Amino acid sequence: MGTFDTTTPEPRVASLLLRRPLRLGLAADLTNLIYSQGGRILYHDQVVDSDSGHYYTCLKWNASDMKCPDADMTVRLAALFGDGPDTEWSVRYSDQPMRMAVFVSKDPWCLYDILARSHSGEWNVQVPLIISNHPDLKHIADRFGIKFMLFSVNKENKNEIETSQLDLLKNEQIDFVVLARYMQILSGRLVQAFPSRIINIHHAFLPSFPGAKPYHAARERGVKMIGATSHYVTETLDAGPIIEQDVLRVSHRHSVQDLVRFGRDLEKIVLARAIWSHIQRKVIVHNGRTVVFD
Amino acid sequence: MGTFDTTTPEPRVASLLLRRPLRLGLAADLTNLIYSQGGRILYHDQVVDSDSGHYYTCLKWNASDMKCPDADMTVRLAALFGDGPDTEWSVRYSDQPMRMAVFVSKDPWCLYDILARSHSGEWNVQVPLIISNHPDLKHIADRFGIKFMLFSVNKENKNEIETSQLDLLKNEQIDFVVLARYMQILSGRLVQAFPSRIINIHHAFLPSFPGAKPYHAARERGVKMIGATSHYVTETLDAGPIIEQDVLRVSHRHSVQDLVRFGRDLEKIVLARAIWSHIQRKVIVHNGRTVVFD
Amino acid sequence: MGTFDTTTPEPRVASLLLRRPLRLGLAADLTNLIYSQGGRILYHDQVVDSDSGHYYTCLKWNASDMKCPDADMTVRLAALFGDGPDTEWSVRYSDQPMRMAVFVSKDPWCLYDILARSHSGEWNVQVPLIISNHPDLKHIADRFGIKFMLFSVNKENKNEIETSQLDLLKNEQIDFVVLARYMQILSGRLVQAFPSRIINIHHAFLPSFPGAKPYHAARERGVKMIGATSHYVTETLDAGPIIEQDVLRVSHRHSVQDLVRFGRDLEKIVLARAIWSHIQRKVIVHNGRTVVFD
Amino acid sequence: MGTFDTTTPEPRVASLLLRRPLRLGLAADLTNLIYSQGGRILYHDQVVDSDSGHYYTCLKWNASDMKCPDADMTVRLAALFGDGPDTEWSVRYSDQPMRMAVFVSKDPWCLYDILARSHSGEWNVQVPLIISNHPDLKHIADRFGIKFMLFSVNKENKNEIETSQLDLLKNEQIDFVVLARYMQILSGRLVQAFPSRIINIHHAFLPSFPGAKPYHAARERGVKMIGATSHYVTETLDAGPIIEQDVLRVSHRHSVQDLVRFGRDLEKIVLARAIWSHIQRKVIVHNGRTVVFD
């Protein structure tokens, strides 16, 4: 499996994401709690929004030798954070890797990249399911031994198919969904079932060129840079919280085909960075935008 | 004057910009003509738009020892290029530096940068005139010994003032205008008087966030990059041909003030690059977009 | 095979790379020759090095309806370019895709990316052979149905193994070799057999940090950016002509593990861009550096 | 003075930089202390080096309404941080702007940029002194009304001149020195007098091309990107802690003159960013590298 060593036992890592109104001393109380229970802190980053006074933190610790069981730890954390308004938190352990479903249509580049990263052990994630509205990429799913479910959506069966898809996602215990160049708009029902847990890659530097042929529009407009944007899906099209963006410099020398080619690589890399941040539990969504820890 | 040596005699450089439908052998005929008249080619770049078959070229030669006078050369070039439809060209010599007028309001960063570059000899340009609708930056004009004309525009006097401004630009033999954070919309009359010769800096990565408070909008939207765009002014606001763009990566850590600060530096650099390309005669405008030679 | 359409017949494209001392009118003679034989020019870029007077050009044309056979065309081109000193050229047709061998050790990321691109039809290239000094990545070769040859090199058998490898490369009619994180130094014999046809990816922004642990060195030095470099292999280690480079911004927040992770993505993308330019026949090597056409 | 409003009373801001071994609860104790004395926190960022367990923080608060005088606050902070080994901290108030001396030779671009930023109020800094080994830039100092001291250094007078320069820096109560393209190597005596308080701009992407003609070397090597590096000066040439770096993409199309021109803009921007971080007291130097807060 290459240089991603999977034989030495990895430590069991707990990762906590928390957002709530700032309370002085909370960070010290939190780190004290973890130390007192035998945790060793591996990563701690925190941000205070100076406008709203809201506090965001990402904390990871080696949980291999905790004195109390996970359930107890959850109770203690809940007591610490309180249940006041505007408070949200979760903790998750690395021996329960997230389960990801990938939705695709006909474009292979993001799918290949995702499967290479998950399969080689670069990402600590499981990919049990690929859903598509076209049969074209089934051969890739087969190559990697992953279940490939084809749904030929049309107006009549759309509602019924979504019910099947929701069942599938539930049965496979899917934690989050990646739209890897999936060329169909999700219904509100699906979006609501996975709040801030559906990641899309948009083939443009949002909010520019939101339309269907952004590279043609970009070439027409004579832009000197093109970009790609990865964001969480909300019910408003292309307006979800941005996770990652990047750009490349272009010139009059580049044809639309060149822009499309650059765009493919941008999409692939930008989507991969967004997924990595999500898997690493480094993203908090609040008020329609993200805090993405380094 | 620093390391921009202005004592050794510079060669007299001719620079030609041409666009027209492609004709085979034209490039060879053109270079032959220049060689035969004693010119030595210093720079030659050319582009063919494969969609339209249009040909664009930028050619510079050492014109210190030409056998024929400039006027003769112009006649020969005209004969070579023909006067068919969709043909435009011009030639200009480095011993006639372009004359630039700068329009400003209250923001100093672009103005300082422009004057430092022109004054130190980094740019081969003359800046005889600064026009403003506010007195705030007069002290900078004074520091560099440049005429500063203040026009307090309002609804009643707008038309009259524009007539005065056009007269001023004409009397000072201004070749092109730079809007260096000029916070007023030019009338169609002024724009038409300087087609593809008014350069603006837009405080955003066009076509995103075209409004008045782009950094607030960017922060609100949670973007991960901010940008700036320099373009020629046309009668449609912020839709003119883009000359140069650049971006900087930002994160949730950055306040609106940080974005504004990054934006200032982006504006300054992007505008300077656009002006440099214009002064070097490396920009051709066609069909609403630019060819910018390296 | 996704959106890379392989069913519509592609035009047969000829691509010419030429470098030689500048001769006036050569470009016109060349384009005239191609038109007169029924070729339609798709791409033409040219550069003159103003210091040396050397001329470089890359020209592609639709060769589906040529009046003369390829061999005749070669004769005509040879007559046009002459056989003077410092002249090199070659022409190749798109219906003979290049054949690439990939050398790997244990790291999977570049290999996966190369196979995804070649397999999906994004690249017009054939990959019949993977050579490795470790068995770790055989499962990837199997997944894509590609011959995987394992050579356990040691001091005693090194010479003998290279002979076998050279035979293999010859038998498989390999055009060029990609070292995709191959952790062994090639002998002079192999390098000489593929001049400017072995592409390496170097895990650093050359010429910085040429050693074995560049990310540790970078972190130790506190750099604010890391990079990767793809270059042709010459007999002098890491000094071959650079084809492509890129960088990413880092900060004190990033651990060595973060730098390694960023480095992997940089390596993958930079190597892919270099291979693309090579396959597209857009690279000319001269005097130890490259001309890489857009 | 443009849009940098200097008429509304700015709050008095205290800024603290601290590094010491991590102690749990220190952050809470520190913020408690500041709140209890009437300070309002404006910015707080902290980093723990997970390898060394070292703690770094940058904390800014509105000190307009403190209950205790500055001297008392200093005593309280000292008590909190202790005087254990490897502990360093300082606090400074915004109504005592830092005083900067600029050393220059013949190149004007960085000097113009520094003076424009300090003069327009963009930077909260005073520039009472420019020192040079050449008379060329005196006209710029005059334009901005700043004392310009010329020292024609040679082997005989070098020691004596440095004594005069040190006296000057002392008399002008200079806090830190910027080498804005100063083409002379400082002696160990000067460097020791301003530890981590002399900022240099290096015309290359360190550690590459450390020599005197980096752009020629870069062009010769055919690099695809050029860079600039700003660092604190130590007694080992060009090896001091890096504060900021940036790069620009270049190609075979660019002449050495183009690289020099790009380099100028990179130097100017990279140096300005480094100075800004220093003035904002966002840089901590430790173990030969920097922590630069956002």
Side-chain angles (χ1 to χ4, degrees), chain A residues 109-110 113-114 117 123 178 199-206 215 226-231 242-248 262-278, chain B residues 224-225 249, chain C residues 265 269:
Chain A
W109 50 89
C110 289
D113 194 52
I114 288 168
R117 289 173 194 266
W123 286 347
V178 171
I199 300 174
N200 187 35
I201 179 67
H202 189 87
H203 47 181
F205 190 77
L206 288 174
Y215 300 117
I226 58 160
T229 302
S230 185
H231 63 95
I242 294 171
I243 311 170
E244 174 67 358
Q245 304 190 286
D246 210 346
V247 296
L248 274 178
F262 293 158
R264 273 200 307 262
D265 277 9
L266 276 173
E267 289 163 13
K268 181 162 130 176
I269 282 291
V270 166
L271 179 58
R273 287 188 200 143
I275 295 174
W276 186 88
S277 294
H278 186 88
Chain B
K224 304 307 178 195
M225 307 192 100
R249 183 163 281 269
Chain C
D265 277 9
I269 283 291

Side-chain angles (χ1 to χ4, degrees), chain A residues 1-4 43 45 106-109 112-113 115-117 119-120 122 136-137 139 143-145 246 248 251 253-254 258 261 264-265 268-269 272-273 276 282 294, chain C residues 1-4 43 45 106-109 112-113 115-117 119-120 122 136-137 139 143-145 246 248 251 253-254 258 261 264-265 268-269 272-273 276 282 294:
Chain A
M1 282 291 174
T3 52
F4 303 101
Y43 176 92
D45 204 354
K106 294 181 168 183
D107 296 336
W109 50 89
Y112 262 126
D113 194 52
L115 297 183
R117 289 173 194 266
H119 222 257
S120 65
E122 181 180 334
D136 303 51
L137 304 184
H139 72 102
R143 208 179 289 283
F144 285 85
D246 210 346
L248 274 178
S251 82
R253 291 183 192 284
H254 296 111
D258 289 324
R261 175 170 57 88
R264 273 200 307 262
D265 277 9
K268 181 162 130 176
I269 282 291
R273 287 188 200 143
W276 186 88
K282 295 214 163 180
D294 293 295
Chain C
M1 281 292 174
T3 53
F4 302 102
Y43 176 93
D45 203 355
K106 294 180 168 184
D107 296 336
W109 50 89
Y112 263 126
D113 193 53
L115 297 184
R117 290 173 194 265
H119 222 257
S120 65
E122 180 180 334
D136 303 51
L137 303 184
H139 71 103
R143 208 178 290 281
F144 285 85
D246 210 344
L248 274 178
S251 83
R253 292 183 192 284
H254 296 111
D258 289 325
R261 175 170 57 89
R264 274 199 306 262
D265 277 9
K268 183 162 128 176
I269 283 291
R273 287 189 200 141
W276 186 88
K282 294 216 162 177
D294 292 296

